């Protein structure tokens, strides 16, 4: 029984590790987890072993590698957190974590799943940027997680019907919000929740407004640096939202049978990158301007289209670029 569970867990994690993951920072730096390695603009930062899984911070300044020990039940692991260049920041040995949420500072929440299947609850253990354990909490099945920009505060959607905000440095829960399919965190305590039929803006835990929408299956969201707009990715479209009232100002629809797999925005919302895939064996990336008009785009034939790729990032700099990774291909788009 123990071996079966561990094998299933490892298979699940291995499938997740096969997906591309991209994180980009304000200076044009990035971290990519892809093809059993962590890489940056300088090249390979760290290779990954057969039972190692990497998780990058939202701005690409840090990453964690979870090394799961073979043949142990419950799972045992060692977590190492590194900076952008691969310099070791701290280590947590003999823990049960199978994944991690990492802040750009190197602070982290280690996730230990307690049970089998997607509805299994979990344990979160909080660590400071120096690697000191600051606290922990038991939660329902964790889903999506985002950090407030340049902070050590985590917004976590939980399958039990809540969205929780944690302070990793203090090791405590700050407040609780309703559950939603997607969440985005902005400056000054702003949190945008987007669910099947509604979206709502909160500030420091208090609701500012709630509004209906007609976006089909929204699941991605980002807030602009100045806090005036949000961009929402749905099943087959991308929408710009005015954060003053929740009004959908503009839309871009993916062509034909393509669905949206990933969404990334420049910090000032001057452009957006959208990853899409078709059931007919094609993956694509589109670079959109501030009005959601196409700047440039690429398509690639793939053997097995994945619901999780391509993944995309907007890289800051002069000129700006878009980086995209899909099944067996990588592209850099320039104006």
């Amino acid at each position: 029984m123990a071996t079966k569970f561990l094998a299933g867990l490892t298979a699940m994690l291995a499938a997740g590790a096969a997906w591309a993951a991209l994180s980009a920072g304000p200076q044009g730096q990035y971290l990519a987890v892809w093809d059993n390695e962590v890489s940056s603009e300088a090249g390979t930062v760290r290779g990954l072993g057969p039972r190692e899984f990497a998780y990058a911070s939202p701005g690409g300044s840090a990453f964690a590698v979870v090394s799961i020990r073979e043949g142990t039940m419950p799972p045992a692991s060692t977590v190492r957190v590194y900076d952008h260049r691969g310099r070791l920041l701290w280590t947590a040995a003999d823990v049960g974590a199978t994944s991690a949420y990492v802040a750009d500072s190197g602070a982290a929440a280690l996730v230990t799943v307690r049970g089998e299947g997607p509805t299994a609850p979990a344990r979160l253990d909080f660590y400071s940027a120096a690697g000191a354990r600051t606290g922990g909490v038991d939660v329902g099945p964790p889903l999506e997680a985002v950090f407030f920009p340049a902070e050590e505060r985590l917004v976590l959607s939980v399958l039990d019907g809540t969205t929780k905000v944690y302070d990793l440095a203090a090791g405590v829960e700050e407040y609780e919000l309703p559950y939603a399919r997607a969440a985005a965190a902005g400056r000054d305590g702003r949190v945008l929740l987007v669910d099947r039929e509604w979206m709502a803006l909160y500030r420091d835990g208090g609701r500012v407004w709630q509004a209906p929408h007609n976006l089909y299956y929204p699941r991605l969201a980002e807030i602009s640096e100045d806090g005036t707009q949000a961009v929402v990715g749905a099943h087959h479209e991308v929408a710009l939202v005015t954060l003053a009232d929740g009004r959908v100002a503009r839309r871009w629809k993916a062509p034909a049978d393509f669905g949206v797999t990933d969404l990334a925005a420049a910090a000032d919302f001057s452009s957006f990158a959208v990853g899409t895939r078709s059931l007919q064996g094609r993956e694509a990336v589109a670079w959109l301007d501030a009005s959601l008009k196409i700047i440039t785009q690429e398509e690639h034939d793939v053997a097995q289209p994945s619901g999780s790729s391509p993944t995309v990032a907007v890289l800051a700099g002069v000129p700006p670029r878009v980086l995209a990774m899909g099944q067996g291909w990588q592209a850099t788009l320039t104006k």
Side-chain angles (χ1 to χ4, degrees):
M1 186 72 172
T3 303
K4 181 180 178 182
F5 170 69
L6 186 60
L9 174 66
T10 303
M12 177 185 70
L13 291 171
W19 303 338
L22 281 171
S23 299
Q27 305 304 317
Q29 77 274 17
Y30 70 86
L31 284 177
V33 181
W34 181 238
D35 197 22
N36 295 318
E37 68 177 27
V38 180
S39 61
S40 73
E41 64 279 2
T44 301
V45 178
R46 189 188 187 284
L48 299 174
R51 302 177 70 83
E52 291 189 325
F53 310 94
Y55 305 89
S57 69
S61 296
F63 66 96
V65 174
V66 178
S67 304
I68 299 179
R69 193 175 308 149
E70 186 173 4
T72 59
M73 184 61 193
S77 61
T78 296
V79 179
R80 298 175 178 87
V81 176
Y82 302 84
D83 68 9
H84 178 79
R85 294 178 177 82
R87 180 176 64 92
L88 181 64
L89 299 178
W90 55 269
T91 300
D94 298 320
V95 295
T98 52
S99 62
Y101 305 120
V102 187
D104 283 322
S105 67
L110 307 188
V111 184
T112 301
V113 177
R114 293 184 165 177
E116 298 185 52
T119 60
R123 171 77 180 177
L124 298 183
D125 289 289
F126 305 124
Y127 287 78
S128 71
R133 186 180 178 280
T134 59
V137 63
D138 293 318
V139 297
L143 298 175
E144 302 298 325
V146 293
F147 281 94
F148 286 91
E151 293 189 32
E152 297 176 347
R153 293 195 299 153
L154 180 72
V155 181
L156 178 68
S157 297
V158 183
L159 192 58
D160 65 7
T162 58
T163 299
K164 299 177 182 292
V165 177
Y166 298 106
D167 184 329
L168 272 58
V172 298
E173 178 183 322
E174 287 192 340
Y175 53 86
E176 185 176 289
L177 302 173
Y179 168 78
R181 289 175 176 267
R187 300 188 185 278
D188 300 322
R190 294 181 179 90
V191 176
L192 176 68
L193 299 181
V194 186
D195 205 50
R196 184 188 297 271
E197 297 178 344
W198 57 267
M199 65 179 76
L201 181 68
Y202 289 81
R203 190 164 186 174
D204 296 326
R207 193 172 72 183
V208 179
W209 53 257
Q210 181 169 322
H213 67 77
N214 61 353
L215 302 171
Y216 177 66
Y217 201 80
R219 60 184 187 84
L220 302 163
E222 286 192 36
I223 294 176
S224 63
E225 192 172 40
D226 63 8
T228 62
Q229 297 181 88
V231 62
V232 177
H235 176 69
H236 62 278
E237 64 183 322
V238 169
L240 276 177
V241 175
T242 303
L243 277 190
D245 54 12
R247 177 177 57 90
V248 174
R250 295 186 184 88
R251 297 173 189 253
W252 175 84
K253 291 190 176 182
D257 65 338
F258 280 81
V260 174
T261 60
D262 197 19
L263 170 66
D268 61 358
F269 272 37
S270 58
S271 67
F272 307 89
V274 185
T276 62
R277 61 111 181 187
S278 164
L279 296 178
Q280 305 307 314
R282 294 185 70 78
E283 293 182 341
V285 53
W287 192 3
L288 312 178
D289 65 15
S291 298
L292 300 187
K293 304 297 185 183
I294 292 178
I295 299 171
T296 186
Q297 58 187 331
E298 278 192 17
E299 289 190 14
H300 297 265
D301 291 319
V302 296
Q304 293 181 324
S306 165
S308 62
S309 73
T311 185
V312 295
V314 179
L315 305 183
V318 181
R321 298 164 293 150
V322 162
L323 179 62
M325 291 182 172
Q327 297 294 315
W329 62 272
Q330 177 176 327
T332 300
L333 278 58
T334 57
K335 293 183 179 180

